[in-house]
Structure formats: structure tokens, C-alpha cells
Amino acid sequence: METASAAVSRRVNFLSITGGLTEPGRRDRNGLERRSGGADSREPSPAAEAGTDGDQQFLDSGPNFSLLQRTCKLVVLLCLLHISVTVVFYVRSLDIGPPSSRTNSPPTAGLSGPDPDPNPRTRRYGAGGQPVDDPVPPKATRRMDPEQEPEQEPEQEPEQEPEQEPGQDLEQERHKCPETSPLLVGPLRVEFNIPVNLDQVKEDNPNLQPGGRYKPKDCEALQKVAVIIPFRKREEHLKYWLFYLHPILQRQQLDYGVYVINQDGDEIFNRAKLLNVGYVEALKEYDYDCFVFSDVDLIPMDDRNTYRCFSQPRHLSVAMDKFGFRLPYNQYFGGVSSMSKEQYLKINGFPNNYWGWGGEDDDIYNRLTTKGMSISRPSGEVGKCRMIRHQRDKQNEPNPQRFNRIAHTRETMHKDGFNSLSYKLVRVDKLDLFTMITVDVGSPEGGVAEGHVTGGGG
């Protein structure tokens, strides 16, 4: 109605402008206002007549112009109507509202493809386009059959599971731990000026099992690692080692155990022989496949330095503060190292005849190179570690025979090592944070006391 009124109003204005509307007695046919009186009522001039003929021709063409205008308006109205209908259908095709309203909406059903349920009762609508309750509710729910079809396949799997995997152990379903643990934090601050309380260490590591055993709960460790520490009268150093290393080893997601091999008596200290004892005794408790041999006074400064085994024997303490965080020489293999069971047996273990300080590390290096193995190391940054400062222990003076023995490693390695190991097992104590194994390894002058254990046979 507003459009028609506007059209009539514009038409009246147009006729008013062109002189189509005249008031009788006020305007003549030339569109000039008549006035009473003399000069204004005289006859028109020839020029006025010529102008009058042109105006008349314009007025005669008025109806054609009006028809064109109406035609244009009609086209515009049709375009507006077409756009309005298109917008309405587009809005209704959008996914607006809850799923129930979408599945029951007739426009949506028509735009989203073929209706999954041809039953007409599921598409009934009452006055005003409102959906009518389906008289058969079970069939109304079948409109979602295309989405339910994938759910029918898993429903058949439970019938096959008991046949395929009967009585499967839940622990076997655990996935392998990643090669690099996501729990690592990188560089660590290591200090030795604060006393360590072992009760606090135990409280801080609640997942430790008796004997200092641990395995990850969320995944299956890639290796089973026995950490072996040669020891005698270093209780304070051991406290720091346990305080720092237990959290590190757990973040590295290792299945590990800590074995402190305590040399009984006051004879000269024999580090390499204690390491051999640790290898034998650890295998009595668990099927370890990797062995980390660590001095009690060395603490890693980066937990990315993983205490595990590699394809080649691993030297882990490559940058000690004692040596200015540098490798003292390329053949150095002391401090902390790791070997797999196969690597250890290939070199016949460690020498048993190095009494006192020094020499055994170089002998082990010679054994490895003789068997064609090379030493792998972490980077100098990752391999940093700190040593607890201390005076050299009594009965651990430098070995005067070490250089002569190192020179003959190739001749002695096949008869001196794991196959010639003998010791006496004194006591095994399974403590909360570690397993203490006290042994008598004898003396340089003679063998061990009666009741010894031979490593090669054990």
C-alpha cells in the first residue's frame, strides 16, 4: 500500500511540474496565468505559440513515460520479492537450534539431502508449521539411523574379545615409555652445603619400593637398570646421592634398582672388583639388562643425561667440575658409565687385581677398544656433574702397579674379570632407599675367606 501511494504522489508532482493540472479560469492552455486587466490578456506572440507546440508534444509523450516508470517499479518489486524468498530459505537452512529442532524442520530436511526415513508419519506438521507428535515414537527415532550405523559395529566386538584375548593381563596393555622422557627439566642446581635427612628423602619419593626399587606406573620402561655404587665409609656422600638421584631416575622413567656394594673390613679398596660383585648380585634379584656403574660422590647437573644403556658403552660423567667441566683425556672412562649385559660379558667384566686408587678405568677402556667397541658420550653441556669434595680415603692410596697392568690388558683380560671373580657375601640389607650388599673381597696378598662366591659360576 505504501508503494502505490508513493507512486500516485510522484505522478501528481510530475503532472504539476509539466503543467498537466490547471485550475479552470486561472491558467490557459499555454500554462500562463490569466490576470484581469489589459496587457496580460492580449493574444500570445508567435514565439509563445512555438513554445506551446513543444510543450504539447512533451505532454503527449507523458503516458509512455509513465508506463516505463511503472514497468521499472514492477521489476524492482519482483527482484525484492525474489531476494526476500531466497533469504528466508537460506536462514532456515542454517544449523541453528538444538538437534531435535533440526531433524524435525521441514525446510532443513528438504535442503540437507534425502530424508533418511521415508515414513510420512515422521514428517507431519500442524497449523503454523509446528511439528505434530509422532504417533509411533520408535519410528521417529529412526531418523538418526545413519548416525547409529557406525555404533552397531562396536556392539559386536565385545562378543569377540573373550575369544581373542582371554584373561589378558592389564600390565601387558601398558604402552612403552618414550625414548626421551617428557618429565625431564634439564639443568639442575646441585649444592652440598645443606644437610640431607634420609627420612625426608623417603617422604619425597613415596613410589619407591623396598631396596630402592622403582618402575613407572604410566608406561613400561624401555630398560631395566641396575645402578651399582662401590662403597666404603661414605655415608654423607651417599645421602646426597640418594637425595638427588632418586628424583632424576624417576623422571627418566627407568625401571631401576640401587645397589650399594659395601667392601667389608679394612683392606685396600678395590673399586673394579666391587663393580663385578654388584653385577652378579643385582642379577640374582631381577632380570636387569643395563648396568650403570657410579661413584658415590658424583651428581649429574642435568637430568637429560639419562642413566641407561646405548648401542655402545656410555661414559656419562664427561664434564666434571673437578676438571673444569672438561674431559681430562679422550680415553677417560671413570666416574659414571653404563654397559648392557652383552657389552659387559663381551669384555669379561672388569679387572679384579687393581688394588688401591687408579688404573682400572683405563684398563676397562682398553678392554672395550680391544673388542671393537667405541665410547659414546653426551654433550659437554648435558654431561656436566659435580663432585663432593673430600680427602682421599685411607687404604685407597694410588696403585703403584697400575701402569704396568694397563700395558698388559690384552693379555690379562680373558683370565682376569667376571670369570675369575670370587668374594664372600657377608650381608644383604634391603633398606627403604637402596639395597646394601656387604662383601669380603679379600686382599692383594691372598684370596678370600672360606665360603666365597665365584662370579663366573653365579
Side-chain angles (χ1 to χ4, degrees):
M1 293 299 292
E2 293 179 0
T3 304
S5 300
V8 173
S9 177
R10 286 193 294 271
R11 177 60 177 166
V12 172
N13 294 336
F14 174 78
L15 293 178
S16 300
I17 295 172
T18 58
L21 294 178
T22 59
E23 294 181 13
R26 295 296 300 273
R27 294 181 181 272
D28 58 10
R29 65 184 182 90
N30 295 323
L32 300 175
E33 185 178 357
R34 292 184 180 179
R35 299 184 181 181
S36 60
D40 293 337
S41 61
R42 63 177 176 266
E43 293 294 330
S45 65
E49 289 183 356
T52 302
D53 293 337
D55 292 340
Q56 185 63 36
Q57 292 177 3
F58 179 80
L59 289 174
D60 293 341
S61 63
N64 293 332
F65 179 80
S66 177
L67 179 60
L68 178 61
Q69 185 182 30
R70 291 179 180 178
T71 303
C72 292
K73 290 179 179 180
L74 181 59
V75 172
V76 172
L77 289 175
L78 290 176
C79 291
L80 291 175
L81 179 61
H82 177 73
I83 293 174
S84 301
V85 174
T86 302
V87 170
V88 170
F89 276 87
Y90 174 77
V91 171
R92 290 193 176 185
S93 65
L94 297 176
D95 290 338
I96 301 176
S100 59
S101 63
R102 292 200 302 267
T103 56
N104 291 333
S105 174
T108 305
L111 293 174
S112 60
D115 193 299
D117 187 358
N119 192 334
R121 287 180 294 180
T122 62
R123 296 183 296 177
R124 293 175 56 197
Y125 296 89
Q130 297 297 325
V132 179
D133 293 338
D134 197 332
V136 186
K139 290 188 177 181
T141 59
R142 293 177 185 174
R143 288 180 57 84
M144 303 302 294
D145 285 348
E147 299 180 5
Q148 293 178 356
E149 288 178 0
E151 298 178 1
Q152 293 177 358
E153 297 178 1
E155 292 177 359
Q156 299 176 0
E157 293 181 0
E159 300 178 358
Q160 300 177 358
E161 284 181 358
E163 299 178 1
Q164 294 178 354
E165 302 176 356
Q168 183 179 15
D169 190 355
L170 294 178
E171 191 165 331
Q172 295 178 356
E173 297 178 356
R174 294 194 308 167
H175 62 280
K176 292 283 187 180
C177 296
E179 186 75 15
T180 301
S181 171
L183 307 178
L184 303 180
V185 299
L188 306 170
R189 182 181 180 86
V190 178
E191 301 291 345
F192 304 122
N193 54 358
I194 301 177
V196 173
N197 187 304
L198 291 185
D199 291 333
Q200 184 64 43
V201 175
K202 178 182 176 182
E203 185 177 343
D204 294 340
N205 298 272
N207 295 322
L208 284 178
Q209 301 299 316
R213 293 278 290 112
Y214 172 85
K215 64 171 55 179
K217 293 183 177 180
D218 299 331
C219 59
E220 182 180 351
L222 298 180
Q223 295 182 3
K224 303 172 184 177
V225 182
V227 183
I228 299 172
I229 302 174
F231 181 85
R232 186 168 66 179
K233 299 178 181 178
R234 293 281 197 92
E235 286 76 11
E236 290 302 316
H237 295 177
L238 181 59
K239 289 179 181 180
Y240 283 110
W241 193 98
L242 296 170
F243 173 77
Y244 282 110
L245 265 297
H246 269 307
I248 291 176
L249 298 175
Q250 291 174 47
R251 290 198 300 271
Q252 293 177 351
Q253 295 183 316
L254 301 175
D255 179 357
Y256 73 90
V258 176
Y259 297 88
V260 178
I261 313 302
N262 179 39
Q263 180 172 334
D264 191 33
D266 295 324
E267 292 293 341
I268 299 178
F269 193 68
N270 191 326
R271 176 179 181 269
K273 193 171 186 179
L274 292 175
L275 296 179
N276 283 333
V277 172
Y279 172 87
V280 173
E281 292 297 324
L283 284 177
K284 291 179 181 180
E285 293 193 350
Y286 194 53
D287 185 22
Y288 292 105
D289 51 23
C290 176
F291 300 85
V292 173
F293 306 99
S294 174
D295 288 345
V296 71
D297 55 3
L298 286 177
I299 309 298
M301 300 177 65
D302 196 315
D303 60 3
R304 294 174 296 176
N305 191 8
T306 310
Y307 276 37
R308 65 179 181 87
C309 293
F310 296 80
S311 59
Q312 296 293 331
R314 186 80 162 180
H315 184 216
L316 297 167
S317 55
V318 301
M320 296 193 300
D321 59 345
K322 173 183 177 180
F323 301 123
F325 295 107
R326 299 178 184 176
L327 192 66
Y329 52 94
N330 291 334
Q331 296 80 19
Y332 183 66
F333 198 66
V336 186
S337 61
S338 68
M339 293 185 196
S340 66
K341 184 187 296 186
E342 293 75 14
Q343 294 165 355
Y344 175 88
L345 294 176
K346 192 173 182 178
I347 63 172
N348 190 28
F350 302 149
N352 296 312
N353 58 358
Y354 280 80
W355 297 90
W357 181 88
E360 77 281 356
D361 299 333
D362 296 325
D363 189 292
I364 296 170
Y365 177 86
N366 291 340
R367 291 177 180 233
L368 294 172
T369 56
T370 298
K371 289 299 183 178
M373 290 180 280
S374 59
I375 306 302
S376 66
R377 292 185 172 99
S379 67
E381 186 66 25
V382 173
K384 285 184 176 181
C385 59
R386 286 199 62 184
M387 173 181 283
I388 305 174
R389 300 292 181 179
H390 62 91
Q391 297 295 327
R392 182 167 294 161
D393 303 324
K394 295 181 180 181
Q395 295 296 87
N396 191 29
E397 290 78 11
N399 181 4
Q401 302 177 355
R402 62 185 184 279
F403 298 109
N404 180 57
R405 296 187 183 279
I406 293 172
H408 297 86
T409 300
R410 294 189 179 212
E411 293 82 15
T412 61
M413 63 178 292
H414 298 290
K415 57 184 178 180
D416 176 26
F418 172 72
N419 60 1
S420 63
L421 175 64
S422 63
Y423 61 92
K424 178 182 179 182
L425 182 62
V426 178
R427 185 173 65 254
V428 176
D429 298 311
K430 283 191 172 297
L431 306 177
D432 294 328
L433 301 175
F434 61 95
T435 298
M436 174 77 81
I437 300 175
T438 303
V439 294
D440 177 6
V441 295
S443 64
E445 295 78 14
V448 297
E450 295 183 0
H452 70 277
V453 178
T454 301

